[in-house]
Amino acid sequence: MEQEINLQMKEAGSQYESELSHLQVKATNIEEKLSKWNNLLEDNPEMIVDLDERVSELQNQKIMNQEEQNQLERQKNKKGESIKVTDITVLLNGIEGLLKKGTTKEVKQIYQCFIKGITFNKETKADIQMTLYFDAI
């Protein structure tokens, strides 16, 4: 289990790298377009009314692209150290203690942190399937 989790974390890291690479290419394209439009404006200042909207649009794309890159960098750097089975065991034991001692409201809030959805056969009340948030990792 420990190896499986660490492998999934490693795969997520390479996915971040791929997405960052794509965003960097996109940023380069936006920069080139901005440069082209700015040069056109310098050469033809009378076209500012016609080109201003496009330049603003490109600047907004540049800002949004930079925000996406920053967010990916934060997520990539957040992954931290490898997870060990003992870490998970300690965490689950702590949660179990909270579930035993907590009020109904607290227990529901804890469940909401982990359970993404529950599906079952409404007629037989069987075939229960619980989807947890970390199932998608």
Side-chain angles (χ1 to χ4, degrees), residues 39-61:
N39 287 340
L40 188 59
L41 280 174
E42 286 176 11
D43 295 341
N44 302 302
E46 67 279 356
M47 295 181 70
I48 194 162
V49 174
D50 299 327
L51 302 178
D52 192 42
E53 185 177 326
R54 179 64 180 149
V55 170
S56 295
E57 181 183 321
L58 286 170
Q59 288 171 336
N60 287 338
Q61 285 179 7

Side-chain angles (χ1 to χ4, degrees), residues 97-110:
L98 290 172
L99 291 173
K100 286 180 180 178
K101 296 177 184 176
T103 65
T104 304
K105 184 178 180 181
E106 292 170 335
V107 169
K108 285 182 180 181
Q109 288 175 335
I110 291 170

Side-chain angles (χ1 to χ4, degrees), residues 111-118 130-134 136:
Y111 284 154
Q112 288 176 344
C113 292
F114 296 98
I115 300 172
K116 187 174 188 176
I118 300 173
M130 187 180 308
T131 306
L132 303 176
Y133 280 104
F134 31 78

Side-chain angles (χ1 to χ4, degrees), residues 29-120:
N29 290 338
I30 292 170
E31 283 293 331
E32 289 172 357
K33 289 176 184 178
L34 261 175
S35 176
K36 180 180 93 173
W37 287 105
N38 284 329
N39 287 340
L40 188 59
L41 280 174
E42 286 176 11
D43 295 341
N44 302 302
E46 67 279 356
M47 295 181 70
I48 194 162
V49 174
D50 299 327
L51 302 178
D52 192 42
E53 185 177 326
R54 179 64 180 149
V55 170
S56 295
E57 181 183 321
L58 286 170
Q59 288 171 336
N60 287 338
Q61 285 179 7
K62 178 181 174 183
I63 291 168
M64 291 176 66
N65 189 53
Q66 185 61 47
E67 283 299 317
E68 287 181 55
Q69 283 182 5
N70 292 342
Q71 183 178 6
L72 277 173
E73 283 290 341
R74 285 191 298 273
Q75 288 174 348
K76 180 182 150 195
N77 294 334
K78 194 180 205 180
K79 70 178 184 177
E81 298 178 11
S82 298
I83 295 176
K84 297 183 175 102
V85 173
T86 52
D87 296 337
I88 295 170
T89 305
V90 169
L91 176 66
L92 292 177
N93 286 336
I95 293 169
E96 181 183 24
L98 290 172
L99 291 173
K100 286 180 180 178
K101 296 177 184 176
T103 65
T104 304
K105 184 178 180 181
E106 292 170 335
V107 169
K108 285 182 180 181
Q109 288 175 335
I110 291 170
Y111 284 154
Q112 288 176 344
C113 292
F114 296 98
I115 300 172
K116 187 174 188 176
I118 300 173
T119 56
F120 60 92

